Amino acid sequence: ARIEGLIPKDNTYIITNGTQKPRVMEQAAGIPEENILSEPFGKNTAACIGFASAVIKRKNPEAVIVVLPSDHFIQNVELFQETLKKGIRYADELKGLVTIGMKPTKPETGYGYIQIDEKGDTNGVTKALTYAEKPNFSTAQRFVNSGDFLWNSGIFIWRVDVILEEIKKHMSDLFDSITKIEKALGDEKFQSKLKTIYGQIRRISIDYGLMEKSENVYIMKGEFDWIDAGSWDAIYELSVKDSEGNAKVGEIYTEETFDSYVFTPKKFTAVIGVENLIVIETDDSLLICDRNNAQNVKHVIDYLKMKNRTDLL
């Protein structure tokens, strides 16, 4: 919906998995089924970007690709599209890796940071000086205080030939896998071959694997409203709040409680004398954490996997 009118549906590709593909097809009406790509299993963003690049290269070896994570909440869609148009032009002209940077509002440890060269700003685009992925809190605070770091939004724009050349240079193992995927495209046993190839790919983000290493990264400032809805704290930010700053779902009593998010739709809950909390109830689990530590929910996932508690995942 965010790119409606900007990019034709025939040129829109969605990467998901086999389990989610039928639901994605329902929600993404009008996008050709062959454009909805299924990964055999998740291997982070470097793998899925490489997979998509192989498919798009076959269609147009000079295509400009816009990479858009689905879990973003973006307002000012008209301004967002104007930003993408400029980014597409820059990516084509500069033959570089263009990313959209957002001005930080707090020391967020769940985002990557990009240091920009304000002196080298040309028509809203500048070379990246430093690329740091998900720092600790004190480092994030230092980045925010400096004033010359932007959040990495995860929105990337580049030509397909440029990204593949950069992957070849900095991630040769992934490039070899992409080459194998290219050769397998159109084969009647493609899904089986893709599964074998994916099994050999490292699980790594495009940020760690490539963006931190490349000297060909350009930054554009995004002026549109943007929230990465990938944590419970982000959901809190998007929710309607009462006069004490609390967002509540369910029958909930609060007293001397401030700036908290409580989601307990099936159980009466009383919350007294606390602030900045996240409380989430599911059928078989309960999460309680400080909003500042919302990104650390991933540690709980790791713990449950280690304990073989897949029933709770």
Side-chain angles (χ1 to χ4, degrees):
R2 291 195 290 268
I3 58 173
E4 189 75 37
L6 177 64
I7 299 173
K9 291 186 183 297
D10 283 352
N11 289 347
T12 301
Y13 290 79
I14 297 175
I15 303 186
T16 182
N17 56 58
T19 302
Q20 293 179 315
K21 184 173 180 176
R23 184 70 173 134
V24 169
M25 289 174 61
E26 290 177 19
Q27 295 183 354
I31 294 178
E33 182 177 353
E34 62 268 23
N35 287 16
I36 301 177
L37 311 177
S38 294
E39 291 185 289
F41 25 80
K43 283 295 186 80
N44 215 316
T45 52
C48 69
I49 286 171
F51 176 17
S53 297
V55 174
I56 293 169
K57 179 188 174 184
R58 193 185 194 202
K59 184 175 184 178
N60 179 3
E62 297 183 348
V64 177
I65 298 175
V66 182
V67 179
L68 298 166
S70 60
D71 60 348
H72 289 178
F73 181 80
I74 293 174
Q75 293 179 297
N76 314 109
V77 171
E78 185 175 343
L79 180 56
F80 170 68
Q81 290 199 2
E82 287 301 317
T83 304
L84 292 186
K85 287 179 184 177
K86 290 179 183 178
I88 290 168
R89 186 173 72 249
Y90 288 141
D92 197 31
E93 292 175 356
L94 298 171
K95 306 294 189 293
L97 309 177
V98 177
T99 184
I100 310 298
M102 310 302 298
K103 184 176 180 179
T105 57
K106 60 181 179 179
E108 175 63 64
T109 60
Y111 299 161
Y113 288 74
I114 308 168
Q115 187 178 26
I116 58 173
D117 179 10
E118 292 280 11
K119 295 179 182 178
D121 191 321
T122 305
N123 297 322
V125 64
T126 178
K127 280 296 277 290
L129 296 180
T130 306
Y131 201 103
E133 178 63 3
K134 298 182 180 178
N136 59 35
F137 184 84
S138 61
T139 304
Q141 184 71 69
R142 181 162 50 83
F143 287 167
V144 173
N145 292 343
S146 73
D148 59 355
F149 280 82
L150 299 176
W151 279 336
N152 168 29
S153 69
I155 298 172
F156 304 114
I157 309 172
W158 44 50
R159 285 175 52 121
V160 66
D161 53 348
V162 171
I163 186 61
L164 289 174
E165 187 61 33
E166 288 284 329
I167 290 174
K168 182 179 181 180
K169 181 179 179 180
H170 298 287
M171 304 181 71
S172 58
D173 54 337
L174 176 60
F175 184 79
D176 290 343
S177 296
I178 294 170
T179 302
K180 292 176 183 177
I181 291 173
E182 282 187 64
K183 291 179 180 178
L185 289 171
D187 193 299
E188 60 181 16
K189 296 182 179 179
F190 174 72
Q191 287 300 328
S192 175
K193 291 184 176 182
L194 182 66
K195 186 174 182 180
T196 300
I197 296 167
Y198 250 69
Q200 300 168 351
I201 294 177
R202 280 188 297 151
R203 188 186 301 273
I204 190 171
S205 70
I206 196 72
D207 310 271
Y208 281 124
L210 176 59
M211 302 299 283
E212 286 188 357
K213 301 172 184 175
S214 175
E215 298 178 355
N216 195 24
V217 177
Y218 293 84
I219 311 299
M220 289 179 59
K221 287 184 182 178
E223 303 293 344
F224 47 87
D225 292 331
W226 171 89
I227 294 177
D228 181 348
S231 72
W232 283 111
D233 185 48
I235 300 301
Y236 166 82
E237 295 290 351
L238 292 170
S239 300
V240 176
K241 303 167 188 67
D242 62 20
S243 58
E244 280 76 41
N246 299 313
K248 299 177 283 189
V249 179
E251 187 180 359
I252 297 160
Y253 171 85
T254 57
E255 179 182 319
E256 294 297 316
T257 296
F258 305 96
D259 303 325
S260 295
Y261 183 78
V262 185
F263 180 92
T264 56
K266 298 181 180 180
K267 186 180 296 181
F268 169 76
T269 304
V271 185
I272 301 172
V274 298
E275 59 182 301
N276 217 52
L277 277 189
I278 289 172
V279 181
I280 307 294
E281 176 211 13
T282 66
D283 289 339
D284 53 13
S285 305
L286 181 66
L287 168 70
I288 303 172
C289 72
D290 188 287
R291 280 180 43 218
N292 292 328
N293 297 108
Q295 295 287 343
N296 291 340
V297 170
K298 60 189 177 185
H299 299 161
V300 182
I301 302 300
D302 293 339
Y303 171 82
L304 292 173
K305 288 179 178 177
M306 181 180 69
K307 294 292 185 178
N308 292 320
R309 290 304 308 272
T310 54
D311 57 307
L312 297 177
L313 298 176

